[in-house]
Amino acid sequence: MTILLLLNMFNLACCHEVVRNSLFLAGEIGGNDFNHAFFIRKNIEEVKTYGPYELIGLGARTLIVPGNFPIGCSASYLTIYETVDKNQYGCLKWLTKFAEYYHHELQSELDKLRGLYPRANIIYADYYNAAFTLYRDPTKFGFTDLKVCCGMGGPYNYNTTADCGNPGVSACDDPSKHIGWDNVHLTEAAYRIIAEGLMKGPYCLPQINTSCLMNVSSGYFNS
């Protein structure tokens, strides 16, 4: 019995050490929650009440918490919510404003968590602005327009009855020329640029390299 208790204590200590020294990507929070809600046309005020959860209580020291993508530029929503109420980049204004709202609300909550847990590195990954850069000037990055690569029909190469992977639905010859792979997901080319903006650019707050250096210098990985 004593041996089993010691083994359990050892395993618990090992797990705690792994959790403390790991980098957690907590999200992107809300993506599927928001997508499901908007696909079934839930009221935007109800969707605003949806919120994230935390891992710090389990011992996590370093977390990256991403925001959401500019869903107003998604081919699925542009198709489902047909409207002329779009911004100069062709994205739905009301959904773009919702994404901005979530972007600010999440950052506000993360600031509160930083105050409660000053020894934790809580990094905000700004998916919204990292991705919106592509929609703002697609040709700068070698992309064409808002049409997705894998789909069929409609102004955005998508319709609700023919998803990518369904019989008769084909992919484009060169996905690297498209921001969107299908009605929800982006292409590898788009994700690569977004990742570079997060890892090397201004879209992580604080920037990832600075946070890692702070962790090492303060002894978080060795304490």
Side-chain angles (χ1 to χ4, degrees):
M1 186 72 176
T2 303
I3 294 175
L4 287 175
L5 180 60
L6 288 172
L7 285 173
N8 286 335
M9 291 174 64
F10 175 76
N11 289 333
L12 183 61
C14 288
C15 288
H16 181 73
E17 187 71 13
V18 169
V19 169
R20 183 174 59 182
N21 294 334
S22 296
L23 172 64
F24 288 88
L25 180 64
E28 136 234 12
I29 296 169
N32 287 333
D33 299 314
F34 296 154
N35 285 336
H36 175 71
F38 286 131
F39 284 159
I40 62 175
R41 297 178 179 272
K42 285 210 171 192
N43 185 281
I44 192 169
E45 295 305 320
E46 179 183 348
V47 180
K48 283 183 178 181
T49 65
Y50 298 172
Y53 55 88
E54 58 172 296
L55 292 170
I56 300 173
L58 298 176
R61 289 271 184 90
T62 306
L63 305 94
I64 297 179
V65 183
N68 213 332
F69 290 99
I71 54 179
C73 305
S74 168
S76 55
Y77 294 124
L78 287 167
T79 301
I80 294 171
Y81 296 100
E82 293 183 77
T83 177
V84 295
D85 190 25
K86 301 172 185 175
N87 60 26
Q88 65 267 42
Y89 310 113
C91 305
L92 298 174
K93 286 184 179 179
W94 68 276
L95 264 180
T96 299
K97 288 180 180 178
F98 172 79
E100 291 172 351
Y101 162 83
Y102 178 75
H103 167 78
H104 293 298
E105 288 294 305
L106 180 55
Q107 286 193 82
S108 176
E109 291 302 313
L110 293 181
D111 284 339
K112 294 177 185 177
L113 286 177
R114 291 186 184 105
L116 291 172
Y117 304 98
R119 284 178 58 82
N121 278 332
I122 304 174
I123 304 166
Y124 177 67
D126 187 357
Y127 279 14
Y128 176 84
N129 282 304
F132 197 69
T133 302
L134 309 183
Y135 296 104
R136 189 181 293 116
D137 191 1
T139 57
K140 176 182 176 181
F141 302 96
F143 300 122
T144 52
D145 50 31
L146 296 181
K147 288 184 179 180
V148 301
C149 173
C150 185
M152 183 175 68
Y156 305 101
N157 197 34
Y158 168 72
N159 70 69
T160 56
T161 61
D163 287 330
C164 181
N166 285 3
V169 179
S170 60
C172 62
D173 294 330
D174 188 357
S176 68
K177 292 183 178 179
H178 295 261
I179 299 174
W181 164 251
D182 59 13
N183 61 304
V184 175
H185 306 96
L186 307 185
T187 59
E188 288 186 16
Y191 282 129
R192 184 179 299 111
I193 296 170
I194 292 170
E196 288 178 353
L198 295 170
M199 298 298 293
K200 302 177 183 178
Y203 298 114
C204 274
L205 302 172
Q207 291 189 354
I208 291 177
N209 57 349
T210 304
S211 301
C212 289
L213 288 173
M214 184 176 71
N215 255 348
V216 173
S217 63
S218 62
Y220 276 7
F221 290 110
N222 302 307
S223 60

